[in-house]
Amino acid sequence: MSSTIRSARRQGASAGFLTVITLWGASACAVFPSDPADPPQFGARVDGGTIVVKIPMCPTDEIRRVEVYDFDDVEHENPRIVWSASGPTAASTRKGLVTLWSGEGFAKHSGKPVKSAIPPTIGVSYSDPAGDGRDDVFTLHTIESVTLEPGTYWTRGGPMTARQIDAQLHCGEKP
């Protein structure tokens, strides 16, 4: 076989291989979509000795239950629940404002944990009546030490207002 034919075969095989890889990659994107944008960020602030969390919500969203868990708990399949509350009774709670440890604005809640039982990194999650929901993580040292303007909350991306936190969801916008 001449060197020209061998070279053409190699180029053809290489081009065919690249075509297969390209097509596989394109179809994989259709089957396995790319990572979604960062999930919406919750906000937290300390008012006096109280931690207030702002959960991103659309006006039609409902909170059924909020849980605070030990984010660093790797000993258990499900992390240890530090505090929980359910059945929001206040308008502010239904809009995603949750005062941790107090149960304020909820029909049911667990007792306030002793300070030594509160882990340094907490996860805050909420679920809606369908069981769907979101969560976010906070380092207590960070939210306790950051200085915030009135009406702002600390998020992974820095300070945000309640309106900015909710706006991450693009409520009512058509895709």
Side-chain angles (χ1 to χ4, degrees):
M1 201 178 327
S2 76
S3 62
T4 306
I5 293 173
R6 271 189 239 146
S7 177
R9 278 191 170 170
R10 278 192 211 121
Q11 287 176 349
S14 295
F17 178 72
L18 289 174
T19 300
V20 168
I21 294 298
T22 302
L23 289 174
W24 179 80
S27 65
C29 288
V31 175
F32 306 105
S34 60
D35 289 338
D38 286 334
Q41 302 173 59
F42 290 25
R45 66 176 291 115
V46 176
D47 288 330
T50 304
I51 300 172
V52 179
V53 173
K54 173 60 181 118
I55 298 170
M57 304 287 291
C58 286
T60 58
D61 290 344
E62 293 181 50
I63 290 178
R64 181 181 60 88
R65 181 174 176 82
V66 174
E67 292 183 340
V68 178
Y69 58 93
D70 182 349
F71 182 76
D72 295 322
D73 181 1
V74 293
E75 295 177 19
H76 304 95
E77 185 175 330
N78 294 314
R80 177 178 63 92
I81 303 297
V82 178
W83 181 83
S84 64
S86 61
T89 59
S92 61
T93 306
R94 286 189 290 272
K95 291 183 185 291
L97 285 174
V98 177
T99 303
L100 300 188
W101 323 137
S102 77
E104 178 184 318
F106 286 97
K108 298 178 184 176
H109 59 87
S110 58
K112 180 179 181 176
V114 294
K115 189 155 182 85
S116 62
I118 300 172
T121 307
I122 59 170
V124 178
S125 67
Y126 93 91
S127 58
D128 65 16
D132 296 326
R134 297 181 186 88
D135 67 343
D136 208 344
V137 176
F138 298 100
T139 303
L140 291 180
H141 174 73
T142 302
I143 60 174
E144 290 171 341
S145 62
V146 69
T147 303
L148 296 168
E149 295 292 323
T152 60
Y153 299 84
W154 185 254
T155 71
R156 287 176 272 129
M160 294 173 81
T161 65
R163 181 173 284 162
Q164 290 169 320
I165 290 169
D166 287 343
Q168 298 172 94
L169 299 177
H170 307 287
C171 302
E173 291 181 12
K174 294 181 181 176

